[in-house]
Amino acid sequence: NAGVTQTPKFRILKIGQSMTLQCAQDMNHNYMYWYRQDPGMGLKLIYYSVGAGITDKGEVPNGYNVSRSTTEDFPLRLELAAPSQTSVYFCASSQLGGEGEKLFFGSGTQLSVL
Amino acid sequence: GENVEQHPSTLSVQEGDSAVIKCTYSDSASNYFPWYKQELGKGPQLIIDIRSNVGEKKDQRIAVTLNKTAKHFSLHITETQPEDSAVYFCAASNPGNKLTFGGGTRVLVKP
C-alpha cells in the first residue's frame, strides 16, 4: 500500500491564481482531512470528509473548497490564491473517524503564494 | 472550542539524555491525547497516545503521562538518539470533535 499520496510536493503561485492539491489514499478509509501547517502554529483543520459525497468545514475553511467524488480521492482547491495561504498542506485519512482514531498523513505540499 | 498549548517550541538535548515536552488543554471533556512525530520532509506519524482513563503509558523509550485535574499531559523520551530529532506534536480531542493540535516542538539531539 502507498498509503496517502499528495501531489505536487512543491508549488509557487502568483496572487490570484488557482490550483488544486491532489490527495489519494489506497487504504479504503472513509474519513479524509486537509490540514495546513504554519510555523509554530501546529496543524489547523481546513476541511474533512466522512465519505464520498460528504464534506464539512474545519477550523480554517475560508479561501478553500473540497470535493469527494470517490472514497480514494479528496482534492483541495484554492480559487484565488493569497499570500496568507502560503503554508504546508497535509492530507490525512482514518478508517472510521471515530474518537481516538489514528490519522495517516501524506508527505505534504509546500505552497508559496507570491 | 479546544485550545492546546505546547512547550517548549524548541528543545536541544545531548544524546543519551532525556527530553520532556509538555502540553496543556482547555476542554475538560477531552479524553484522547495522541502524540505525533514529524521527520524532515514527511508527514506526522502517531507514536503514542493515551486516553483519559489512564495516567501513564510507556512504549520502549517513550512514555506519556496525563494529569486530568491539571489538564496537562507530557511526552518523555529517555536515552535520546539522533533519530529522535524531529518535530513533535501533541493533540487533544473529545467525543464528536476532531483533533486540536499543539504548536509543535522541534527536538534536536546532539551527538
Side-chain angles (χ1 to χ4, degrees):
Chain A
N1 286 352
V4 179
T5 303
Q6 289 183 240
T7 56
K9 291 191 182 298
F10 304 95
R11 185 72 185 269
I12 298 175
L13 284 182
K14 294 182 179 178
I15 295 172
Q17 285 186 320
S18 301
M19 79 162 294
T20 299
L21 281 66
Q22 302 291 345
C23 176
Q25 53 93 7
D26 62 359
M27 297 173 283
N28 202 32
H29 285 173
N30 289 311
Y31 279 66
M32 295 187 74
Y33 314 80
W34 274 106
Y35 288 89
R36 59 177 288 171
Q37 181 182 22
D38 299 319
M41 299 298 290
L43 295 154
K44 301 289 187 185
L45 182 63
I46 305 172
Y47 270 96
Y48 67 98
S49 168
V50 305
I54 307 171
T55 62
D56 207 348
K57 295 178 181 179
E59 190 179 353
V60 289
N62 292 344
Y64 307 94
N65 277 301
V66 293
S67 60
R68 184 95 181 271
S69 57
T70 66
T71 299
E72 293 78 20
D73 300 300
F74 190 40
L76 178 72
R77 178 84 177 160
L78 283 72
E79 290 294 348
L80 292 170
S84 61
Q85 293 178 305
T86 293
S87 189
V88 181
Y89 291 84
F90 287 100
C91 179
S93 71
S94 66
Q95 187 168 16
L96 297 174
E99 170 198 330
E101 193 170 4
K102 177 180 177 180
L103 297 183
F104 292 81
F105 284 86
S107 57
T109 295
Q110 188 168 325
L111 175 67
S112 295
V113 182
L114 305 174
Chain B
E2 176 66 277
N3 183 49
V4 179
E5 302 274 349
Q6 184 171 346
H7 298 280
S9 56
T10 59
L11 180 59
S12 182
V13 297
Q14 208 66 39
E15 183 178 353
D17 288 349
S18 295
V20 180
I21 303 169
K22 298 181 179 181
C23 289
T24 60
Y25 60 98
S26 60
D27 190 342
S28 56
S30 289
N31 58 1
Y32 175 65
F33 308 92
W35 286 87
Y36 282 79
K37 176 184 180 181
Q38 183 182 18
E39 297 176 344
L40 195 62
K42 297 183 179 180
Q45 272 195 306
L46 179 70
I47 55 171
I48 195 168
D49 57 14
I50 192 168
R51 299 177 190 273
S52 59
N53 58 346
V54 176
E56 183 177 3
K57 185 177 179 180
K58 289 183 180 180
D59 183 3
Q60 299 182 358
R61 293 185 300 105
I62 60 173
V64 57
T65 59
L66 171 65
N67 184 327
K68 283 196 67 181
T69 303
K71 288 191 283 188
H72 67 70
F73 56 112
S74 301
L75 177 71
H76 304 252
I77 307 173
T78 59
E79 300 173 16
T80 53
Q81 300 171 3
E83 54 264 35
D84 295 328
S85 294
V87 178
Y88 293 80
F89 292 98
C90 63
S93 73
N94 54 56
N97 288 293
K98 303 306 172 193
L99 283 173
T100 299
F101 286 86
T105 297
R106 184 173 300 277
V107 174
L108 175 64
V109 179
K110 296 180 290 185

